[in-house]
Short mmCIF file of all heavy atoms in Angstrom, two decimals:
data_model
loop_
_atom_site.label_atom_id
_atom_site.label_comp_id
_atom_site.label_asym_id
_atom_site.label_seq_id
_atom_site.Cartn_x
_atom_site.Cartn_y
_atom_site.Cartn_z
N VAL A 106 173.31 -116.84 -1.37
CA VAL A 106 172.58 -117.68 -2.32
C VAL A 106 172.00 -118.89 -1.58
O VAL A 106 170.82 -119.23 -1.73
CB VAL A 106 173.53 -118.13 -3.45
CG1 VAL A 106 172.80 -119.11 -4.36
CG2 VAL A 106 174.02 -116.93 -4.23
N ALA A 107 172.85 -119.52 -0.75
CA ALA A 107 172.41 -120.75 -0.08
C ALA A 107 171.24 -120.47 0.85
O ALA A 107 170.29 -121.23 0.89
CB ALA A 107 173.57 -121.35 0.71
N LYS A 110 167.97 -119.00 -1.38
CA LYS A 110 167.38 -119.83 -2.44
C LYS A 110 166.89 -121.17 -1.92
O LYS A 110 166.23 -121.91 -2.62
CB LYS A 110 168.44 -120.07 -3.54
CG LYS A 110 168.73 -118.85 -4.38
CD LYS A 110 167.76 -118.81 -5.56
CE LYS A 110 167.89 -117.52 -6.33
NZ LYS A 110 168.97 -117.57 -7.32
N THR A 111 167.25 -121.51 -0.66
CA THR A 111 166.88 -122.83 -0.17
C THR A 111 165.48 -122.81 0.42
O THR A 111 165.10 -121.86 1.09
CB THR A 111 167.87 -123.27 0.92
OG1 THR A 111 169.17 -123.18 0.40
CG2 THR A 111 167.59 -124.70 1.34
N ALA A 112 164.73 -123.89 0.14
CA ALA A 112 163.41 -124.02 0.76
C ALA A 112 163.60 -124.72 2.10
O ALA A 112 163.57 -125.93 2.20
CB ALA A 112 162.51 -124.85 -0.14
N PRO A 114 162.85 -126.15 5.71
CA PRO A 114 161.61 -126.60 6.35
C PRO A 114 161.23 -125.61 7.44
O PRO A 114 162.03 -125.28 8.31
CB PRO A 114 162.00 -127.96 6.94
CG PRO A 114 163.47 -127.99 6.97
CD PRO A 114 163.98 -127.03 5.96
N GLY A 135 168.95 -137.57 30.26
CA GLY A 135 168.23 -138.62 29.57
C GLY A 135 168.93 -139.00 28.29
O GLY A 135 169.93 -139.71 28.29
N LYS A 136 168.47 -138.44 27.19
CA LYS A 136 169.01 -138.85 25.88
C LYS A 136 170.50 -138.53 25.74
O LYS A 136 171.25 -139.30 25.17
CB LYS A 136 168.23 -138.14 24.78
CG LYS A 136 168.59 -138.58 23.38
CD LYS A 136 167.59 -138.04 22.39
CE LYS A 136 167.72 -138.50 20.99
NZ LYS A 136 168.74 -139.00 20.32
N TYR A 137 170.89 -137.38 26.31
CA TYR A 137 172.29 -136.98 26.11
C TYR A 137 173.14 -137.23 27.34
O TYR A 137 174.13 -136.52 27.58
CB TYR A 137 172.36 -135.52 25.68
CG TYR A 137 171.73 -135.32 24.33
CD1 TYR A 137 170.53 -134.67 24.16
CD2 TYR A 137 172.35 -135.84 23.20
CE1 TYR A 137 169.94 -134.53 22.92
CE2 TYR A 137 171.78 -135.70 21.95
CZ TYR A 137 170.58 -135.05 21.81
OH TYR A 137 170.02 -134.93 20.57
N PRO A 140 176.88 -138.34 26.14
CA PRO A 140 177.71 -137.20 25.72
C PRO A 140 178.12 -136.31 26.91
O PRO A 140 179.25 -135.83 26.96
CB PRO A 140 176.81 -136.43 24.75
CG PRO A 140 175.88 -137.42 24.24
CD PRO A 140 175.69 -138.44 25.29
N ALA A 150 190.74 -134.91 31.28
CA ALA A 150 191.99 -135.10 30.56
C ALA A 150 192.63 -133.76 30.21
O ALA A 150 193.86 -133.61 30.27
CB ALA A 150 191.75 -135.92 29.30
N VAL A 153 194.43 -132.46 33.25
CA VAL A 153 195.70 -133.15 33.44
C VAL A 153 196.75 -132.60 32.47
O VAL A 153 197.88 -132.30 32.85
CB VAL A 153 195.52 -134.67 33.25
CG1 VAL A 153 196.86 -135.37 33.22
CG2 VAL A 153 194.65 -135.23 34.34
N ARG A 160 203.42 -127.37 34.78
CA ARG A 160 204.46 -127.90 35.66
C ARG A 160 205.80 -127.91 34.95
O ARG A 160 206.84 -127.68 35.56
CB ARG A 160 204.10 -129.32 36.09
CG ARG A 160 205.01 -129.83 37.17
CD ARG A 160 204.60 -131.21 37.58
NE ARG A 160 204.62 -132.09 36.45
CZ ARG A 160 204.08 -133.31 36.44
NH1 ARG A 160 203.45 -133.74 37.51
NH2 ARG A 160 204.14 -134.06 35.38
N GLN A 161 205.77 -128.14 33.64
CA GLN A 161 207.02 -128.16 32.90
C GLN A 161 207.72 -126.82 33.00
O GLN A 161 208.92 -126.76 33.24
CB GLN A 161 206.70 -128.50 31.45
CG GLN A 161 207.90 -128.77 30.62
CD GLN A 161 207.53 -128.80 29.16
OE1 GLN A 161 206.39 -128.60 28.79
NE2 GLN A 161 208.51 -129.06 28.35
N SER A 162 206.94 -125.74 32.88
CA SER A 162 207.57 -124.42 32.95
C SER A 162 208.06 -124.14 34.36
O SER A 162 209.08 -123.49 34.56
CB SER A 162 206.57 -123.35 32.51
OG SER A 162 205.49 -123.31 33.39
N ARG A 164 209.23 -126.39 36.42
CA ARG A 164 210.45 -127.18 36.60
C ARG A 164 211.65 -126.52 35.97
O ARG A 164 212.76 -126.63 36.44
CB ARG A 164 210.26 -128.56 35.98
CG ARG A 164 209.36 -129.40 36.80
CD ARG A 164 209.69 -130.86 36.65
NE ARG A 164 208.90 -131.57 37.65
CZ ARG A 164 209.34 -132.60 38.33
NH1 ARG A 164 210.56 -133.07 38.13
NH2 ARG A 164 208.57 -133.18 39.21
N ILE B 6 164.63 -144.47 27.45
CA ILE B 6 165.97 -143.92 27.29
C ILE B 6 166.89 -144.46 28.38
O ILE B 6 168.03 -144.88 28.11
CB ILE B 6 165.92 -142.38 27.34
CG1 ILE B 6 165.31 -141.86 26.05
CG2 ILE B 6 167.30 -141.81 27.52
CD1 ILE B 6 165.03 -140.39 26.08
N ASN B 10 170.19 -146.58 27.80
CA ASN B 10 171.50 -146.17 28.32
C ASN B 10 172.15 -147.27 29.14
O ASN B 10 173.36 -147.43 29.13
CB ASN B 10 171.34 -144.92 29.19
CG ASN B 10 171.39 -143.65 28.36
OD1 ASN B 10 171.87 -143.70 27.23
ND2 ASN B 10 170.89 -142.56 28.90
N ALA B 75 170.76 -144.60 23.68
CA ALA B 75 169.72 -143.71 23.16
C ALA B 75 169.93 -143.39 21.68
O ALA B 75 169.78 -142.25 21.25
CB ALA B 75 169.63 -142.43 23.99
N LEU B 77 172.45 -142.94 19.95
CA LEU B 77 173.53 -142.05 19.54
C LEU B 77 174.67 -142.84 18.90
O LEU B 77 175.48 -142.30 18.16
CB LEU B 77 174.07 -141.27 20.73
CG LEU B 77 173.11 -140.31 21.42
CD1 LEU B 77 173.78 -139.64 22.57
CD2 LEU B 77 172.62 -139.28 20.43
N TYR B 111 209.06 -137.98 34.58
CA TYR B 111 207.94 -137.47 35.37
C TYR B 111 206.73 -137.11 34.53
O TYR B 111 205.68 -136.80 35.04
CB TYR B 111 208.37 -136.27 36.22
CG TYR B 111 208.77 -135.06 35.44
CD1 TYR B 111 207.83 -134.12 35.06
CD2 TYR B 111 210.09 -134.85 35.05
CE1 TYR B 111 208.18 -133.01 34.33
CE2 TYR B 111 210.44 -133.75 34.33
CZ TYR B 111 209.50 -132.83 33.96
OH TYR B 111 209.84 -131.74 33.23
N GLU B 115 201.32 -138.82 32.55
CA GLU B 115 200.35 -137.97 31.89
C GLU B 115 200.32 -138.25 30.39
O GLU B 115 199.27 -138.19 29.75
CB GLU B 115 200.69 -136.50 32.11
CG GLU B 115 200.28 -135.97 33.46
CD GLU B 115 201.38 -136.14 34.49
OE1 GLU B 115 202.33 -136.91 34.23
OE2 GLU B 115 201.28 -135.51 35.55
N LEU B 137 175.77 -134.51 16.92
CA LEU B 137 176.24 -133.93 18.18
C LEU B 137 177.36 -134.75 18.78
O LEU B 137 178.42 -134.24 19.18
CB LEU B 137 175.05 -133.86 19.15
CG LEU B 137 175.35 -133.14 20.44
CD1 LEU B 137 174.64 -131.82 20.43
CD2 LEU B 137 174.90 -133.96 21.62
N LEU B 141 181.38 -133.96 19.37
CA LEU B 141 182.00 -134.04 20.69
C LEU B 141 183.20 -135.00 20.67
O LEU B 141 184.28 -134.69 21.21
CB LEU B 141 180.96 -134.50 21.72
CG LEU B 141 181.46 -134.59 23.15
CD1 LEU B 141 181.94 -133.24 23.62
CD2 LEU B 141 180.37 -135.10 24.06
N ILE B 156 203.44 -131.05 24.70
CA ILE B 156 204.22 -131.52 25.84
C ILE B 156 205.54 -130.75 25.93
O ILE B 156 206.00 -130.41 27.01
CB ILE B 156 204.49 -133.04 25.71
CG1 ILE B 156 203.20 -133.80 25.97
CG2 ILE B 156 205.54 -133.49 26.73
CD1 ILE B 156 203.37 -135.28 25.93
N ARG B 157 206.10 -130.45 24.75
CA ARG B 157 207.36 -129.68 24.72
C ARG B 157 207.08 -128.20 24.52
O ARG B 157 207.71 -127.55 23.71
CB ARG B 157 208.24 -130.16 23.55
CG ARG B 157 208.72 -131.56 23.62
CD ARG B 157 210.10 -131.60 24.24
NE ARG B 157 209.99 -131.43 25.67
CZ ARG B 157 209.76 -132.41 26.50
NH1 ARG B 157 209.62 -133.62 26.06
NH2 ARG B 157 209.66 -132.18 27.79
N ARG B 159 207.54 -125.43 26.08
CA ARG B 159 208.50 -124.37 26.39
C ARG B 159 209.64 -124.31 25.40
O ARG B 159 210.38 -123.33 25.36
CB ARG B 159 209.08 -124.58 27.80
CG ARG B 159 208.09 -124.33 28.88
CD ARG B 159 207.86 -122.84 29.05
NE ARG B 159 206.47 -122.62 29.37
CZ ARG B 159 205.97 -121.44 29.70
NH1 ARG B 159 206.73 -120.39 29.73
NH2 ARG B 159 204.70 -121.31 29.98
N GLY B 190 169.74 -127.75 9.84
CA GLY B 190 168.67 -126.85 9.45
C GLY B 190 167.81 -127.43 8.33
O GLY B 190 166.61 -127.23 8.29
N LEU B 191 168.46 -128.18 7.45
CA LEU B 191 167.73 -128.73 6.31
C LEU B 191 166.94 -129.97 6.72
O LEU B 191 165.83 -130.20 6.24
CB LEU B 191 168.73 -129.10 5.22
CG LEU B 191 168.21 -129.17 3.81
CD1 LEU B 191 167.55 -127.87 3.45
CD2 LEU B 191 169.35 -129.46 2.86
N GLN B 212 166.13 -129.13 -4.70
CA GLN B 212 166.68 -128.22 -3.69
C GLN B 212 167.91 -127.49 -4.22
O GLN B 212 168.60 -127.96 -5.13
CB GLN B 212 166.99 -129.04 -2.44
CG GLN B 212 167.21 -128.28 -1.16
CD GLN B 212 166.08 -127.36 -0.78
OE1 GLN B 212 165.94 -126.30 -1.35
NE2 GLN B 212 165.29 -127.75 0.22
N ASN B 213 168.15 -126.37 -3.63
CA ASN B 213 169.22 -125.47 -4.05
C ASN B 213 170.61 -126.12 -4.02
O ASN B 213 171.03 -126.69 -3.03
CB ASN B 213 169.16 -124.29 -3.08
CG ASN B 213 170.26 -123.31 -3.30
OD1 ASN B 213 170.83 -123.27 -4.38
ND2 ASN B 213 170.54 -122.54 -2.28
#
Side-chain angles (χ1 to χ4, degrees):
Chain A
V106 175
K110 287 271 173 84
T111 306
K136 186 169 186 337
Y137 295 108
V153 171
R160 189 179 58 193
Q161 190 192 1
S162 64
R164 287 209 171 218
Chain B
I6 287 172
N10 274 342
L77 297 179
Y111 65 88
E115 282 89 346
L137 186 108
L141 182 60
I156 288 182
R157 296 266 76 85
R159 290 285 144 174
L191 203 55
Q212 196 55 284
N213 176 22

